[in-house]
Amino acid sequence: ADDKISDEALDVSSFQPKSAFLRTMVERGFLHSCTDIEALDEKMEAGVVTAYLGFDATAPSLHVGSLLQIMILRHLQKSGHKPIVLLGGGTTKVGDPTGKDGSRKMLTDADIQANIDGIRGVFDKFLAFGEGETDASMVNNDEWLSSLKYLEFLRDYGTLFTINRMLSFESVKQRLARENPLTFLEFNYMILQAYDFLELNRRYECTLQLGGSDQWGNMVNGVELTRRANNGAEVFAMTAPLITTSDGKKMGKSEGGAMWLNEEMLPPYDYWQFWRNTNDDDVGRFLKLFTELPLDECDRLASMKGAEINAAKKVLADECTRMLHGGGVLAKIHETAASVFAGKDGSMDNLPRAGVTAEEAAAGVSVIDLYIKLGFAKSKSECRKLIEGGGARINGEKIEGIDAVVTGEMLKEGAVKLSMGKKKHGLVEIQ
């Protein structure tokens, strides 16, 4: 039971699970790595498995970056197992150094409690809480971490961790390689996270920790500690891939800031628009990860080409928004989306137009030239300033650079809407 687990993520790509939960994880793209996956698969086939996932309370709302983890807990429960949502009231006081270049801002107890109060509500939309065998429960690790006595803790558990082992984990190695100070406080985070698993195993017979692939080292620590301190307890760790968009950006952020899950921090329309603006290459993957549409339907929608893919993006946006905010908001969102595209009065008839030939469209037409053609700028230099100032948009999406072009692919669906600021809108269409 004391055998060390590999520091590197274990390759489970060829594994074909029997249990419903692991099968879903594989088929929909949630599985990155897992300790002793064959034994976990058998355990999940044999009965109810209790698993936990931790969320630190660093902000008053979670954002889309946490949605993958919430969906994993939802699939776990739907597969007949018990999810524990672990809120990090204790670990938030320390700060997880994983993937960070600097120390996390220290929060007061009142800040942390306010954040926990803000975070908890979102889980009710994805999980069923209660006292039943597979009902979800919410636990705060402050319950046991804040009452720990330092000398007793060191005596009981200090010998079960080695500095050599902790330095071997990727999150620590990366931080040290970048020559950014790693404080002793943050270095303790992985010990506390490991201790969380031990406590949850003792209190709730929790045998599986879930998390992102960047947490592998911390999670392995928890498995090893729980086995050693709990007489060889059979426990497991499973990670999901870190989700980036096809252009390499981190999931959950947009030009306008974080895509929050709480309605008071991000209106449902903006949330819908975030999914509607998904890159073409990400549509199929995101449908499998963030909706519950059948796999064959996800594949059908992902196979759409050209302008058709926009219909698939609307399905993705509708499904994601329905799950978080309820189906009741969709009619108003669709109405708003139509009017935003059309212009202030809901009609496109009065908008200025710029025509391009099919040949020009095939080669790509500079947006700078089109803005001048529409009369929104008098010169290329004026136009460049407006774009660099962030006020230029194509179909409601911010134009990132002065080299942007309108392509034939974009015009397949019909007119393309160019906007400059909030009041100037025009249409580009093939003559």
Side-chain angles (χ1 to χ4, degrees):
D2 272 7
D3 288 348
K4 286 201 304 183
I5 298 163
S6 168
D7 296 348
E8 303 298 321
L10 303 172
D11 182 13
V12 291
S13 56
S14 60
F15 184 69
Q16 295 182 308
K18 299 187 288 286
S19 63
F21 173 66
L22 287 179
R23 207 164 53 243
T24 299
M25 293 297 97
V26 169
E27 290 172 351
R28 298 190 83 96
F30 287 98
L31 183 63
H32 182 268
S33 190
C34 188
T35 62
D36 202 357
I37 195 166
E38 292 90 350
L40 176 60
D41 194 36
E42 284 173 22
K43 193 174 179 70
M44 296 194 114
E45 275 283 85
V48 176
V49 167
T50 300
Y52 91 94
L53 223 159
F55 299 86
D56 275 349
T58 53
S61 169
L62 298 174
H63 62 65
V64 165
S66 298
L67 193 58
L68 184 89
Q69 310 296 342
I70 298 172
M71 289 299 292
I72 290 172
L73 290 178
R74 184 176 170 90
H75 285 299
L76 180 88
Q77 186 171 48
K78 289 195 156 200
S79 302
H81 302 287
K82 184 178 182 68
I84 294 176
V85 175
L86 182 69
L87 296 177
T91 36
T92 303
K93 295 175 185 176
V94 175
D96 182 4
T98 306
K100 306 284 191 304
D101 280 338
S103 297
R104 189 185 264 177
K105 182 170 82 75
M106 299 301 282
L107 299 173
T108 65
D109 286 0
D111 290 335
I112 293 169
Q113 189 54 53
N115 289 345
I116 285 172
D117 292 342
I119 286 167
R120 353 172 41 117
V122 79
F123 292 101
D124 287 322
K125 301 182 180 179
F126 293 87
L127 301 170
F129 288 85
E131 303 299 319
E133 190 181 20
T134 62
D135 283 342
S137 58
M138 194 173 282
V139 181
N140 185 339
N141 64 12
D142 199 49
E143 285 174 29
W144 53 82
L145 292 181
S146 284
S147 59
L148 286 177
K149 294 191 168 135
Y150 191 56
L151 290 178
E152 282 179 23
F153 184 75
L154 285 181
R155 186 190 62 205
D156 293 344
Y157 302 106
T159 56
L160 301 180
F161 297 93
T162 68
I163 296 295
N164 319 49
R165 180 74 168 135
M166 291 165 75
L167 287 173
S168 75
F169 290 128
E170 202 55 39
S171 57
V172 175
K173 281 200 291 193
Q174 284 179 10
R175 182 77 169 263
L176 295 176
R178 290 194 291 263
E179 296 185 4
N180 285 305
L182 177 67
T183 66
F184 181 66
L185 177 74
E186 292 172 290
F187 195 53
N188 274 267
Y189 185 94
M190 64 174 74
I191 294 177
L192 298 181
Q193 185 173 331
Y195 185 69
D196 280 345
F197 198 3
L198 176 60
E199 278 291 333
L200 289 167
N201 181 254
R202 285 174 173 165
R203 293 175 182 226
Y204 304 103
E205 296 181 7
C206 179
T207 54
L208 172 61
Q209 181 181 179
L210 301 162
S213 58
D214 59 335
Q215 294 286 320
W216 179 252
N218 291 0
M219 292 165 70
V220 163
N221 238 352
V223 170
E224 291 176 352
L225 173 67
T226 306
R227 286 177 182 172
R228 288 170 188 155
N230 259 11
N231 305 314
E234 191 183 32
V235 289
F236 308 88
M238 188 196 107
T239 63
L242 293 181
I243 302 299
T244 54
T245 57
S246 57
D247 53 5
K249 289 180 182 162
K250 202 171 175 183
M251 187 73 187
K253 301 285 174 72
S254 78
E255 297 303 329
M259 288 292 110
W260 301 109
L261 300 184
N262 286 17
E263 189 171 342
E264 59 273 19
M265 291 181 69
L266 186 81
Y269 174 77
D270 291 350
Y271 186 74
W272 183 89
Q273 195 67 48
F274 167 77
W275 293 106
R276 170 65 184 81
N277 291 341
T278 296
N279 293 338
D280 293 6
D281 293 341
D282 292 327
V283 172
R285 191 163 51 113
F286 288 1
L287 282 165
K288 288 177 182 176
L289 292 170
F290 300 110
T291 81
E292 291 177 324
L293 291 175
L295 290 169
D296 55 356
E297 178 65 0
C298 295
D299 289 336
R300 184 188 73 78
L301 289 164
S303 69
M304 291 178 167
K305 295 283 182 277
E308 278 190 345
I309 196 73
N310 289 320
K313 291 180 187 182
K314 285 172 185 165
V315 172
L316 172 66
D318 283 357
E319 291 300 315
C320 289
T321 306
R322 180 182 285 115
M323 203 176 284
L324 180 65
H325 295 298
V329 300
L330 291 176
K332 189 159 190 280
I333 286 173
H334 294 160
E335 192 183 310
T336 305
S339 66
V340 165
F341 187 86
K344 201 170 182 184
D345 60 356
S347 164
M348 291 193 279
D349 295 342
N350 301 321
L351 295 182
R353 291 163 191 261
V356 297
T357 66
E359 291 75 27
E360 287 172 330
V365 187
S366 161
V367 292
I368 289 179
D369 292 340
L370 290 169
Y371 275 122
I372 293 170
K373 209 169 185 180
L374 286 165
F376 291 172
K378 292 188 175 70
S379 67
K380 290 190 176 185
S381 60
E382 182 191 345
C383 200
R384 283 192 198 100
K385 277 182 195 165
L386 291 166
I387 291 172
E388 284 164 354
R393 297 182 182 274
I394 297 179
N395 287 347
E397 293 182 49
K398 183 180 169 189
I399 296 173
E400 296 300 336
I402 56 173
D403 299 326
V405 293
V406 170
T407 64
E409 190 70 22
M410 294 160 77
L411 288 160
K412 271 185 186 173
E413 195 178 353
V416 166
K417 181 185 175 191
L418 290 183
S419 303
M420 186 64 80
K422 290 182 179 175
K423 293 181 180 174
K424 289 183 179 176
H425 307 283
L427 297 176
V428 180
E429 52 196 5
I430 292 179
Q431 289 170 327

